[in-house]
Amino acid sequence: MKARPPTALPQPDYEAPDYEERVGRVGYDFGLSRRSFVKVLGAGLLVAASVPALAQESGRRGRGGFFGSGARTVAARIHLGADGTITVLSGKVEAGQGARAELSQAAAEELRIPVSRVQMLLADTGEVPDDGMTAGSMTTPRSVPAVRRGAAAARNLLIQFACRQWQVKPHTVTVRDGQAVDAARKRSLTYADLVKSNEAATLLAQAIPRDVELTPVKEWKVLGTPVLRPNAHDIVTGAHCYPSDITRPGMLYGKILRPPAYGARLVSINLAPAKGMSGVVVARDDQFVGVAAATSFRAEKALVAIAGTARWETTPQPSSRELFDYLKQNTGGGAPQNPFAGQLAEARILRRTYHVPYIQHAPLEPRAAVAEWSDDRLTVWTGSQNPFGCRRELAQAFHLPEDRVRVIIPDFGAGFGGKHTAECAVEAARLARAAGRPVSLRWTRAEEFTWAYFRPAAAIQAEAALDAHGRIATWFFININSGPNAMDTPYAVGKKHCRFLPSKPPLRQGSYRALAATANNFAREVFLDELAALAGADPLDFRLAQLDNPRLRAVLEKAAAEFRWRERIKEKGAAIGLACGTEKGSCVAACAEVEISRAPKKIRVRRVCQAFECGAILNPANLLSQVQGAITMGLGAALREEIRFANGKILNPSFAEYLVPRFDDVPEMDVHLLDRPDLPPAGAGETPIIALAPAIANAVFRATGAPVRALPVRLAEA
Amino acid sequence: MKKPEPEVFGAHSRRTFLKSLGTVAVTAAASRAQSVAAELEKVNGEQTVGPGPVPVTLNVNGKPLKLQLEPRVTLLDALRNYSSLTGAKEGCDRAACGACTVLLDNLPIYACQKLAIEAQGHEITTVEGLAKNGRLTKVQEAFVAKDATMCGYCTPGFVMSLTALLQKNPQPSADEVRHACAGNLCRCGTQPRVLEAALQAAGVAAARTTHTEVMDYA
Ligand code: FES
Ligand code: FES
């Protein structure tokens, strides 16, 4: 490996997934023909029939896209106020994952100012550089360094400026507490002094050098510390305005007519009852029908008044009962054969199929947007992980140049990979155009559960052969439909073949927290326990014997030691399980203890011990939140969450029927965060979720003797 | 203040059959949740053109709030969309998430399940009404100090449920905290910190439920 300068940040050693490619987009087109061309299977918001085709159209390789174009100049990244305020600009969004705190720390560290002095302006496409999507755990490995480079460049400008003012050499000047200081002569200059000088414009227009020197980890004062959420005060007092709290003068409330099922087409509708209501605006473009009124109550009444007159044409749609057969049948070419079949004469062979259902992100704030037109300019406030992508979608839908669209993303009520798209913003904008006034559109929970996209379901086939020593000699692993993330096995197996086969999704599907890593890691790790059982080995020993990755070994050993795995596995009837995995440059291992009751049938997770390592820790407080949050979310996917649908209808579109973890479901948690200051920081919002479901499934297997082959984990019929 | 006669608003009373249940009772009775949702669907289906707006006076955070509301407007809708009190959030509008929790005479209720007209004559407290002269309450302070928020969309609901709990029971056990929060969902997973925050606000030593260790890799 090439030696690096000690202060340079090593690049992450993995490829970022292309999320846009995997999100089914709604192809709204309110073009000159004034028809809502919806590129989907039917009316309303429907599944992209051909996801790759849509992805090409979204222009991910063009300007912006997943990574964004970033900030070229110092001025584009940092605004220095003559009054001493320092505003850092980033296209990242804050949805609870902690970008605001971490990016503030990044700037404060390099600017040499206390973190409380940083004002962070996020995700306003009119003001900030395009830092790409907030997805794929990329804020930490990409945007934190980008902000640090901009801030370090600004600090260097202050030094240059001071040197010229004082006619001294750079080494006599240090920057601390926001001032360039010449200690010998007892003089100082601030960032505000720089801004007020007549050199300011030229200096700040300088490009940010790619190789600007960053503060080494061991000298960090702000990064690496537990900085709390900068806007917690506004959250606990209710002062913060979420997208669904935004109001604009003269604003109306919108409602959209939804089809009764996937694939339904609107044949006719009588709009007269709504049009007859005073103050109600009605808009129709082919399949798009929406209303707006001065109160949400009235808007709903107007919608109810016309919904009953709608005639729909439906087509038969797949149901969750036949989901996995359907996915297998629609891979276009069928599953490949195991290339290693029959190669090992003596081998013990195991072949299993695993099923992972569609689930919903169910962020607590459903999609919401406020749209406002003035002349031919559009401003939208919405909750999305993809501000510049939203701007692109809006521009496309209304045939506008992108610079006439401004998208502002207030800190919003979570996304988990579920808010990469702009459909709600487009709908609000369509209504606002019809009304000639700002319109707020807030999806209901039922709309969010039905017309937002889902984490893809997966059918996974795994086949392995154990050699005479009980080691994995061949490994064959096929993921149908959900994706390739974390599909490769981290174990040192003899020969392997891992493949992802896209299928024809029956529901609109897209990204999720760690996306397909949740499915692939589940299947691999429960399969491993079945293999360990076949080999007659302890699941921990079985894994360690075939695990070379030192980082993954470290977390696995740590979790096992803290959980006292080796002692507890000897206890009779121990209802414990473990699992590990690596994804996006970080490593996780979890041990879980469950309690099983037979009547009523219930699995309760009593305790989770998880070790996680994501390189150098930027903010241990926020990291802990992410890991705890991932454990709780993973618990839902492990035990309860599952979208059921029949003939195009979602059968459980509410929190009463789609069960997410409740307060007393949350287990006792032991979290161990391993700090590796010698490694570049990797994102942490996703990977901590991937070990939990298999650890729980393995605990149920150990307790009941019945292997688990599907999520959510169900107790076998006794 | 005279409370409106229920029969005048006959069609609305269905929606309020939950009124006697606090947030805890509603969701703790998980089996009932489905019938709640079904009931609400039915009521929503019955929406026809009803009586127009009527004057309504709510006592919110110690101040009278005079509004013109259709009789079927919920307390949550009235607070959020007819005045600018957006602290109570809407997460489901179906008595299932607790984001809309407010206090009605010091008891936590789901504001999405209460008609505004029925809330007349009661003292309503929203999250905006807790801090006095910019001073956070103990519960709010503890939420900040314990980093018990992530996206924070659930936070006002939790803060209200716990404020009510501590008024009634200043020294709750961890289980009593869990019970008080049974009707509040958090998708981000702040529950361990919320528990710690609640116990800190009550000045109760926290039983260890979450253990965390940052270890240096040698
Ligand atoms: S909005 Fe009232 S309980 Fe969810
Ligand atoms: S903090 Fe996001 S839902 Fe609780």
Side-chain angles (χ1 to χ4, degrees):
Chain A
M1 200 169 80
K2 247 186 17 205
R4 300 191 188 93
T7 54
L9 268 181
Q11 285 302 306
D13 58 353
Y14 52 92
E15 285 264 306
D18 205 326
Y19 272 73
E20 293 219 71
E21 190 173 85
R22 310 243 349 115
V23 173
R25 249 158 237 292
V26 177
Y28 271 130
D29 185 340
F30 298 115
L32 305 174
S33 68
R34 303 188 50 81
R35 304 269 295 169
S36 81
F37 172 60
V38 183
K39 182 174 307 181
V40 285
L41 297 175
L45 297 186
L46 293 188
V47 192
S50 152
V51 174
L54 286 181
Q56 275 162 19
E57 263 170 50
S58 74
R60 64 191 163 81
R61 295 275 172 245
R63 198 154 50 87
F66 186 79
F67 290 129
S69 45
R72 207 182 59 79
T73 64
V74 177
R77 179 63 73 194
I78 292 173
H79 181 265
L80 301 172
D83 58 353
T85 53
I86 296 179
T87 309
V88 178
L89 314 171
S90 170
K92 287 293 172 191
V93 307
E94 173 63 60
Q97 85 286 18
R100 193 172 280 284
E102 283 196 355
L103 295 174
S104 300
Q105 287 175 273
E109 183 70 61
E110 301 297 344
L111 288 166
R112 309 278 188 263
I113 56 176
V115 73
S116 57
R117 265 193 72 193
V118 177
Q119 295 188 16
M120 205 66 226
L121 179 61
L122 295 179
D124 173 344
T125 65
E127 304 279 352
V128 304
D130 179 359
D131 288 320
M133 297 172 71
T134 304
S137 290
M138 283 296 131
T139 299
T140 292
R142 290 195 71 100
S143 303
V144 166
V147 166
R148 289 180 67 193
R149 280 195 293 273
R155 184 186 75 221
N156 290 342
L157 293 181
L158 181 62
I159 295 174
Q160 280 172 35
F161 170 65
C163 289
R164 266 197 299 279
Q165 293 285 309
W166 298 330
Q167 297 296 315
V168 296
K169 290 264 178 320
H171 70 264
T172 62
V173 179
T174 50
V175 179
R176 59 177 122 92
D177 205 16
Q179 296 186 328
V181 181
D182 174 359
R185 308 284 299 274
K186 292 201 166 56
R187 53 190 174 182
S188 63
L189 284 167
T190 64
Y191 287 107
D193 295 326
L194 187 164
V195 171
K196 283 183 269 186
S197 78
N198 40 25
E199 297 172 58
T202 354
L203 283 177
L204 294 170
Q206 285 185 23
I208 298 168
R210 274 210 65 77
D211 56 350
V212 59
E213 198 170 314
L214 302 181
T215 310
V217 177
K218 57 181 184 309
E219 286 166 32
W220 281 358
K221 294 196 172 59
V222 189
L223 283 170
T225 64
V227 169
L228 298 182
R229 258 150 243 284
N231 56 347
H233 184 279
D234 285 355
I235 289 176
V236 300
T237 55
H240 172 63
C241 273
Y242 291 80
S244 50
D245 299 336
I246 300 268
T247 51
R248 299 289 299 162
M251 185 180 91
L252 305 182
Y253 295 83
K255 285 274 168 203
I256 307 293
L257 179 73
R258 301 293 175 196
Y262 273 69
R265 267 194 76 77
L266 182 62
V267 179
S268 68
I269 184 166
N270 176 14
L271 302 177
K275 283 184 171 158
M277 292 169 69
S278 73
V280 170
V281 177
V282 186
R284 174 163 188 206
D285 268 323
D286 186 25
Q287 296 290 304
F288 173 91
V289 177
V291 297
T295 66
S296 49
F297 183 81
R298 214 168 159 70
E300 186 157 349
K301 246 182 356 194
L303 185 70
V304 169
I306 55 173
T309 74
R311 281 203 23 253
W312 300 91
E313 195 177 271
T314 54
T315 50
Q317 298 288 318
S319 298
S320 38
R321 283 174 185 286
E322 71 237 17
L323 171 63
F324 298 104
D325 290 335
Y326 179 88
L327 291 176
K328 284 175 211 165
Q329 284 154 15
N330 284 283
T331 52
Q337 291 305 307
N338 183 352
F340 317 121
Q343 281 189 7
L344 279 177
E346 309 283 287
R348 283 168 292 172
I349 301 200
L350 208 60
R351 188 178 301 133
R352 296 288 179 251
T353 300
Y354 296 96
H355 291 159
V356 175
Y358 277 106
I359 63 176
Q360 242 288 355
H361 315 78
L364 204 60
E365 180 181 38
R367 282 163 165 67
V370 174
E372 178 171 324
W373 292 85
S374 86
D375 302 326
D376 241 355
R377 294 184 170 275
L378 171 63
T379 306
V380 166
W381 292 258
T382 189
S384 169
Q385 295 171 247
N386 192 2
F388 288 85
C390 276
R391 184 175 72 170
R392 198 160 50 235
E393 270 188 61
L394 284 158
Q396 280 171 2
F398 295 99
H399 295 252
L400 293 171
E402 283 187 26
D403 60 11
R404 299 248 199 92
V405 182
R406 179 175 174 190
V407 173
I408 301 169
I409 314 277
D411 295 11
F412 60 98
F416 314 119
K419 290 182 181 165
H420 289 185
T421 48
E423 56 284 306
C424 178
V426 175
E427 291 164 353
R430 179 64 189 83
L431 287 174
R433 200 171 65 173
R437 291 164 74 172
V439 168
S440 169
L441 177 65
R442 303 161 190 177
W443 280 25
T444 62
R445 181 55 59 189
E447 286 178 297
E448 185 74 24
F449 264 123
T450 308
W451 303 110
Y453 54 84
F454 301 96
R455 179 192 73 175
I460 293 174
Q461 289 165 15
E463 193 173 328
L466 293 183
D467 65 16
H469 311 288
R471 294 176 61 100
I472 301 169
T474 67
W475 179 264
F476 177 66
F477 193 90
I478 302 294
N479 175 309
I480 297 174
N481 189 56
S482 86
N485 320 65
M487 186 174 60
D488 194 9
T489 170
Y491 300 100
V493 299
K495 292 179 192 166
K496 64 181 173 186
H497 181 77
C498 304
R499 230 176 105 191
F500 161 53
L501 293 180
S503 181
K504 192 170 126 194
L507 297 182
R508 184 183 181 208
Q509 64 184 37
S511 192
Y512 180 77
R513 199 171 192 172
L515 192 48
T518 52
N520 288 325
N521 217 68
F522 164 73
R524 190 193 63 241
E525 290 293 302
V526 293
F527 189 48
L528 253 271
D529 264 38
E530 286 201 55
L531 286 168
L534 184 66
D538 172 330
L540 175 62
D541 296 331
F542 185 72
R543 283 175 173 79
L544 287 174
Q546 310 181 70
L547 203 49
D548 295 337
N549 180 338
R551 294 174 65 193
L552 191 50
R553 284 187 74 96
V555 289
L556 182 57
E557 282 169 342
K558 178 71 183 168
E562 295 289 343
F563 190 72
R564 298 192 305 110
W565 175 271
R566 292 191 185 287
E567 290 94 322
R568 300 182 63 183
I569 195 75
K570 293 187 195 122
E571 291 163 16
K572 213 169 149 279
I576 60 174
L578 59 74
C580 63
T582 173
E583 163 72 349
K584 302 209 175 83
S586 62
C587 293
V588 65
C591 300
E593 176 189 342
V594 303
E595 184 182 296
I596 289 170
S597 56
R598 285 283 161 191
K601 276 209 253 174
K602 196 169 149 66
I603 304 166
R604 188 183 151 70
V605 179
R606 292 170 55 110
R607 182 163 173 241
V608 171
C609 177
Q610 179 154 307
F612 180 64
E613 187 259 286
C614 57
I617 295 177
L618 295 180
N619 181 334
N622 188 49
L623 181 58
L624 175 63
S625 283
Q626 286 303 302
V627 176
Q628 287 177 338
I631 290 173
T632 302
M633 187 162 238
L635 187 75
L639 293 181
R640 307 238 172 92
E641 294 179 41
E642 172 177 33
I643 288 288
R644 289 179 288 112
F645 55 100
N647 198 18
K649 270 198 179 58
I650 305 296
L651 300 177
N652 53 344
S654 73
F655 281 132
E657 299 145 299
Y658 181 97
L659 301 180
V660 301
R662 295 196 163 272
F663 210 96
D664 52 3
D665 295 324
V666 175
E668 189 186 319
M669 291 183 202
D670 261 6
V671 175
H672 302 274
L673 307 173
L674 277 62
D675 194 10
R676 287 288 304 259
D678 55 319
L679 294 176
E686 304 190 276
T687 307
I689 201 174
I690 66 175
L692 198 74
I696 292 171
N698 287 338
V700 171
F701 175 32
R702 176 154 300 277
T704 63
V708 173
R709 309 234 170 92
L711 288 178
V713 179
R714 301 254 192 265
L715 293 174
E717 295 303 323
Chain B
M1 188 186 311
K2 190 170 172 294
K3 281 216 261 174
E5 299 288 85
E7 54 270 30
V8 177
F9 308 103
H12 325 125
S13 54
R14 279 267 197 85
R15 183 157 190 149
T16 58
F17 73 104
L18 297 168
K19 69 182 169 192
S20 56
L21 307 173
T23 54
V24 174
V26 170
T27 41
S31 60
R32 213 180 297 169
Q34 290 228 14
S35 62
V36 168
E39 193 69 19
L40 287 169
E41 289 305 333
K42 218 186 305 170
V43 174
N44 288 337
E46 284 168 8
Q47 283 190 14
T48 47
V49 181
V54 295
V56 171
T57 305
L58 299 173
N59 177 359
V60 184
N61 301 329
K63 285 192 218 99
L65 181 62
K66 290 185 188 303
L67 301 169
Q68 289 284 326
L69 301 175
E70 291 89 346
R72 286 182 36 83
V73 167
T74 63
L75 176 57
L76 181 64
D77 200 7
L79 292 170
R80 289 179 52 77
N81 303 328
Y82 292 75
S83 60
S84 50
L85 292 164
T86 55
K89 306 298 177 203
E90 182 173 317
C92 69
D93 201 32
R94 292 290 186 277
C97 79
C100 64
T101 306
V102 299
L103 305 189
L104 195 80
D105 300 331
N106 295 331
L107 283 178
I109 60 151
Y110 290 146
C112 70
Q113 298 307 310
K114 187 94 192 158
L115 293 183
I117 49 171
E118 293 184 330
Q120 295 186 103
H122 296 280
E123 265 179 50
I124 300 156
T125 312
T126 72
V127 73
E128 291 98 332
L130 295 182
K132 297 278 183 277
N133 305 320
R135 264 191 70 92
L136 300 184
T137 63
K138 280 213 164 76
V139 172
Q140 288 173 314
E141 259 175 14
F143 266 68
V144 174
K146 287 285 174 187
D147 201 17
T149 66
M150 282 197 241
C151 80
Y153 200 75
C154 64
T155 305
F158 276 106
V159 167
M160 298 319 288
S161 293
L162 290 170
T163 299
L165 171 71
L166 296 191
Q167 277 172 4
K168 213 172 59 196
N169 176 2
Q171 301 250 296
S173 66
D175 274 342
E176 285 167 332
V177 171
R178 286 194 190 93
H179 185 70
C181 294
N184 294 82
L185 294 181
C186 172
R187 284 297 277 157
C188 297
T190 56
Q191 292 90 343
R193 312 271 189 116
V194 169
L195 178 58
E196 285 173 27
L199 295 176
Q200 165 162 320
V204 177
R208 208 190 72 170
T209 55
T210 299
H211 173 88
T212 310
E213 174 196 356
V214 177
M215 49 173 291
D216 259 321
Y217 190 86

